């Protein structure tokens, strides 16, 4: 009896401590003058998402609609209190005007920026914090201006043209008039080739060489639904200090080594042979030497930009303090995050855009007419940066695709010091240091108050006549404020170029496997469809060209 009590008492104490640890934040909002979602141990308010009962996109919309009359409400994510901001003006104050209070992202995957630690994710622009982030953003920002994108555009055109030609040859050689393809696979291969040539300086053909090392390693890195990766993600959420202590990274060592060696070899070869190529490796090599400066020349000011393009803040336009010098690992980490963003986010955008063009034939036909006009103006020659920027309907279509299917349904900001919310009316409370502001992008994008009939794919929302009616704080496909996506120009020109070349050669047609309406895969593993997006590429009659 004594032995069992000796075992039982410590066991109960340990279980009690664990229960207290995982539930200590669940009552956080009880003394705040805002409503909050119900919370339970370990899951917080996210059980349906964590147990794969809903998709992340649908989860964000559902919680956004839970309290339609409030500006902000509370939610517990695992153990962390989060303020879900619904009001566009409050969102602007937090993410832009009072950015100093909310400078960092929540450290979901660790932010260990120790220069001797080989974990890469913690050294990326997304993960680093405070002054280190300011310096890195200012160092990298000149690499993403319109003039730099213009220099890189030929590489994107080459990949786009090659892809359209590949499918033309495939249909010709098979003796068939049409072929069904799964869009996520198609556009992941395209995005892989673009980012390989633009960010890593190497040519890869993922259509002809389906299992090339670059593509295979990229897919492994993006397989966030693997049990081992899910465990790491939970580890970073529940025990971040312990994960950093053991130098654990979100990515497998095999993939880290693969991409690290590619960058090291490329840099060594270019340094030794004086090779200059208009790609991200070259720009990062310049940035490492402090040779990239932010210049607002006339061309930059007069550039025609896509509606979704985000502007660089003053943070990005200042010079890095003390002439920041990137370490080799930091440079590799930036290449890696550009790869991951291009590999998954761009392919996701294109997948859902292809779906909408397929099921909305009137939109596809109107866009095709603009493509024909542009092609005629170019004399059948290669697409140019100025030509793609001047395609108004293309921009409307892409902008609406990003509204309906934002690849990032939400983003966040970590509160770095106590912040008082006071709307001058009856709402006044403190967002405490260490808590998180949750920005429900998909919720805002599907709010009928801002976008009437939000489930309808309607590019006319973004026409020259209508776009001024859109509150810019309710349209956030690339985020908001100084921590917005640095690569919006790159992503948009990549998306537009491949749509141009594919629609010029093919019409997108439904097949028996095209799921209408589209349903999203459940769980937190990114934006993807439940059963894939299947589309037929039907060759257009030559006479139409």
């Amino acid at each position: 009896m004594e032995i069992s009590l000796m075992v039982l008492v410590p066991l109960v104490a340990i279980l009690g401590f664990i229960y207290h640890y995982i539930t200590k934040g669940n009552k956080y909002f009880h003394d705040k003058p805002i409503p909050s979602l119900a919370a339970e141990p370990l899951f917080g308010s996210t059980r349906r998402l964590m147990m794969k009962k809903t998709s992340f996109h649908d989860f964000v919309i559902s919680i956004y609609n839970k309290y339609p009359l409030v500006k902000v409400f509370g939610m517990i994510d695992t153990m962390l209190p989060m303020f879900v901001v619904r009001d566009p003006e409050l969102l602007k104050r937090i993410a832009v005007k009072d950015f100093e209070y909310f400078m960092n992202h929540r450290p979901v995957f660790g932010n260990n920026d120790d220069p001797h630690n080989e974990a890469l994710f913690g050294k990326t622009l997304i993960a680093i914090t405070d002054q280190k982030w300011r310096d890195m953003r200012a160092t990298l920002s000149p690499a993403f201006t319109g003039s730099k994108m213009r220099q890189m555009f030929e590489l994107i055109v080459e990949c786009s043209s090659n892809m359209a030609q590949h499918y033309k040859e495939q249909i010709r050689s098979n003796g068939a008039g049409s072929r069904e393809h799964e869009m996520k696979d198609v556009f992941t291969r395209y995005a892989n080739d673009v980012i390989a040539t633009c960010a890593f300086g190497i040519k890869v053909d993922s259509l002809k060489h389906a299992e090339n090392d670059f593509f295979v390693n990229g897919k492994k890195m993006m397989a966030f639904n693997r049990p081992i990766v899910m465990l790491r993600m939970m580890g970073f959420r529940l025990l971040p200090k312990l994960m950093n202590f053991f130098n654990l990274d979100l990515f497998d060592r095999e993939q880290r080594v693969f991409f690290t060696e590619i960058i090291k070899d490329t840099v060594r070869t270019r340094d030794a042979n004086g090779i200059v190529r208009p790609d991200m490796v070259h720009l990062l090599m310049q940035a490492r030497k402090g040779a990239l400066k932010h210049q607002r020349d006339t061309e930059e000011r007069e550039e025609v930009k896509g509606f979704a393009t985000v502007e660089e803040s003053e943070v990005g336009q200042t010079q890095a303090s003390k002439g920041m010098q990137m370490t080799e690992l930091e440079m590799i980490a930036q290449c890696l995050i550009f790869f991951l963003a291009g590999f998954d986010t761009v392919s996701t955008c294109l997948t859902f855009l292809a779906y909408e063009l397929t099921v909305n034939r009137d939109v596809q036909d109107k866009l095709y007419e603009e493509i024909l006009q542009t092609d005629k103006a170019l004399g059948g020659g290669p697409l140019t940066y100025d030509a793609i920027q001047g395609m108004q309907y293309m921009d409307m279509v892409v902008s609406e695709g990003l509204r309906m299917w934002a690849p990032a349904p939400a983003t966040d900001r970590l509160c770095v010091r106590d912040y008082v919310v006071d709307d001058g009316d009856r709402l006044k409370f403190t967002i405490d240091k260490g808590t998180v502001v949750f920005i429900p992008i998909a919720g805002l994008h599907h709010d009928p108050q801002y976008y009437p009939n939000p489930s309808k794919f309607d590019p006319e929302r973004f026409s020259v006549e209508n776009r001024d009616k859109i509150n810019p704080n309710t349209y956030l496909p690339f985020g908001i404020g100084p921590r917005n996506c640095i690569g919006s120009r790159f992503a948009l020109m990549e998306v537009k170029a491949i749509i141009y070349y594919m629609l010029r050669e093919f019409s997108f047609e439904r097949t028996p496997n095209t799921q209408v309406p589209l349903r999203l895969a459940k769980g937190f593993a990114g934006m993807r469809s439940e059963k894939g997006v299947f589309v037929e590429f039907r060759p257009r009659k030559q006479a139409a060209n």
Side-chain angles (χ1 to χ4, degrees):
M1 184 68 176
E2 290 182 5
I3 295 175
S4 60
L5 281 174
M6 289 175 64
V7 173
L8 186 61
V9 171
L11 181 61
V12 170
I14 291 170
L15 291 175
F17 173 78
I18 293 172
Y19 181 81
H20 171 74
Y21 179 74
I22 65 177
T23 61
K24 61 183 180 181
N26 285 6
K27 295 181 180 179
Y28 174 81
F29 292 104
H30 289 192
D31 63 349
K32 301 284 184 186
I34 58 174
S36 61
L37 299 174
E40 54 187 316
L42 194 59
F43 293 105
S45 311
T46 62
R47 172 188 278 274
R48 291 184 66 243
L49 181 61
M50 301 297 284
M51 298 302 292
K52 297 187 176 182
K53 301 295 183 183
T54 185
S55 69
F56 186 41
H57 176 271
D58 293 338
F59 173 78
V60 172
I61 294 174
S62 68
I63 64 168
Y64 177 90
N65 292 332
K66 184 81 172 176
Y67 303 106
L69 301 179
V70 305
K71 294 182 177 181
V72 57
F73 64 90
M75 174 179 77
I76 306 295
D77 184 8
T78 313
M79 301 187 304
L80 184 64
M82 305 182 84
F83 292 84
V84 184
V85 178
R86 300 180 78 260
D87 179 63
E89 293 310 309
L90 176 57
L91 187 57
K92 182 179 179 180
R93 283 210 304 275
I94 286 172
V96 182
K97 181 175 176 287
D98 296 326
F99 174 71
E100 295 296 326
Y101 290 83
F102 302 95
M103 191 185 301
N104 303 328
H105 282 302
R106 171 190 179 187
V108 177
F109 305 132
N111 62 346
N112 191 336
D113 59 2
D114 179 349
H116 303 296
N117 186 331
E118 292 189 2
L120 290 176
F121 192 88
K123 295 177 178 60
T124 64
L125 187 63
I126 289 177
I128 55 178
T129 59
D130 305 322
Q131 189 61 43
K132 188 73 176 284
W133 170 80
R134 283 180 171 276
D135 290 343
M136 184 64 81
R137 180 83 183 207
T139 300
L140 295 176
S141 176
F144 289 89
T145 59
S147 59
K148 296 298 189 297
M149 295 302 100
R150 182 187 297 275
Q151 295 169 21
M152 218 176 290
F153 189 64
E154 285 185 18
L155 299 176
I156 290 177
V157 165
E158 183 181 358
C159 291
S160 302
S161 177
N162 286 347
M163 180 170 155
Q165 190 61 33
H166 169 83
Y167 287 113
K168 281 179 68 176
E169 291 173 358
Q170 186 182 72
I171 290 171
R172 193 179 300 125
S173 63
N174 290 345
S178 65
R179 183 77 183 270
E180 178 186 71
H181 301 278
E182 201 286 302
M183 293 298 95
K184 180 64 174 176
D185 180 71
V186 166
F187 290 123
T188 298
R189 294 181 184 281
Y190 163 72
N192 179 71
D193 291 0
V194 169
I195 213 72
T197 189
C198 290
F200 288 77
I202 60 175
K203 287 194 175 184
V204 177
D205 191 333
S206 300
L207 293 167
K208 291 183 179 177
H209 309 290
E211 296 302 307
N212 66 79
D213 289 344
F214 212 89
F215 180 76
V216 169
N217 280 283
K219 288 208 73 169
K220 286 180 180 177
M221 291 193 88
M222 293 308 301
F224 290 140
N225 56 346
R226 288 184 297 150
I228 185 64
V229 179
M230 294 296 289
L231 282 173
R232 289 176 194 154
M233 290 169 68
M234 288 301 293
F236 279 120
R237 285 189 175 200
L238 301 175
L239 302 164
K241 292 182 179 178
L242 188 65
M243 297 291 283
N244 285 333
F245 177 79
F246 286 108
N247 293 339
L248 294 173
D249 197 9
L250 182 65
F251 309 119
D252 292 344
R253 185 177 184 279
E254 179 186 353
Q255 278 74 60
R256 292 204 314 270
V257 170
F258 174 79
F259 288 108
T260 296
E261 290 306 312
I262 285 178
I263 294 296
K264 285 182 176 179
D265 289 345
T266 302
V267 171
R268 278 195 296 264
T269 301
R270 293 192 183 187
D271 274 338
N273 300 297
I275 297 172
V276 175
R277 190 172 183 268
D279 57 21
M280 199 57 63
V281 171
H282 173 65
L283 293 173
L284 286 174
M285 288 172 68
Q286 286 188 300
R288 274 190 78 187
K289 300 170 184 175
L292 274 185
K293 305 296 180 186
H294 210 294
Q295 297 175 328
R296 299 281 291 175
D297 56 26
T298 303
E299 180 182 300
E300 195 78 20
R301 288 191 294 270
E302 295 178 353
E303 178 195 358
V304 178
K305 304 180 186 70
F307 183 84
T309 306
V310 290
E311 293 294 338
E312 186 59 83
S313 71
E314 290 182 6
V315 173
Q317 293 180 25
T318 57
Q319 301 305 325
S321 68
K322 300 177 184 176
M324 178 189 180
Q325 295 293 312
M326 263 190 286
T327 66
E328 188 173 54
L329 271 180
E330 285 171 340
M331 178 178 167
I332 291 165
Q334 306 327 311
C335 275
L336 184 63
I337 202 64
F338 300 152
F339 171 73
L340 295 178
F343 191 85
D344 188 66
T345 308
V346 169
S347 61
T348 297
C349 171
L350 283 164
T351 296
F352 290 101
L353 187 56
Y355 167 80
E356 292 296 348
L357 288 169
T358 301
V359 299
N360 294 280
R361 189 54 189 256
D362 57 331
V363 175
Q364 183 184 160
D365 289 345
K366 188 172 180 179
L367 180 56
Y368 176 59
E369 287 303 314
E370 186 182 51
I371 289 169
L372 284 182
Q373 292 170 15
T374 304
D375 185 53
K376 184 177 180 181
L378 292 168
L383 185 62
T384 65
Y385 184 78
D386 289 329
I388 198 70
Q389 295 294 74
M391 294 180 69
Q392 289 188 3
Y393 196 67
M394 173 75 81
D395 191 63
M396 291 161 58
V397 170
V398 172
S399 298
E400 175 69 344
L402 287 168
R403 180 197 67 82
M404 280 197 70
W405 306 102
T411 187
D412 60 51
R413 298 292 186 272
L414 179 70
C415 183
V416 297
R417 62 180 193 266
D418 291 356
Y419 179 79
V420 177
V421 173
D422 185 351
D423 70 351
D425 190 6
R426 290 178 295 176
L427 186 65
K428 187 174 182 179
F429 63 92
T430 300
I431 298 178
D432 300 300
K433 177 182 177 181
T435 58
V436 169
V437 167
F438 184 84
I439 303 173
I441 295 171
L444 290 162
H445 284 191
H446 287 262
D447 189 333
Q449 179 182 353
Y450 309 122
Y451 302 98
N453 195 7
S455 60
K456 176 179 171 59
F457 185 78
D458 182 12
E460 294 302 323
R461 301 179 203 273
F462 296 92
S463 67
V464 174
E465 298 78 21
N466 293 330
R467 60 176 54 185
D468 288 341
K469 301 173 187 175
I470 297 173
N471 182 337
N473 304 315
T474 67
Y475 185 69
L476 310 173
F478 293 105
I480 182 172
R483 280 205 92 134
N484 58 27
C485 175
I486 197 171
S488 66
R489 277 185 174 85
F490 184 89
L492 288 170
M493 69 178 185
E494 186 178 351
V495 167
K496 292 176 181 179
I498 190 59
I499 291 295
Y500 174 92
Y501 275 97
M502 289 302 290
L503 278 188
R504 192 180 70 167
E505 303 297 340
F506 308 98
S507 63
F508 292 175
E509 306 288 344
R510 293 192 198 194
T511 80
N513 292 319
T514 307
Q515 187 185 57
V516 181
L518 197 63
R519 289 190 293 272
L520 297 176
K522 296 176 172 62
F524 191 69
M527 278 278 291
R528 52 192 178 90
S529 61
E530 184 181 64
K531 295 182 178 179
V533 176
F534 290 90
V535 171
E536 173 190 322
F537 295 158
R538 184 174 296 172
R540 297 188 184 274
K541 294 179 181 179
Q542 294 300 312
N545 292 324

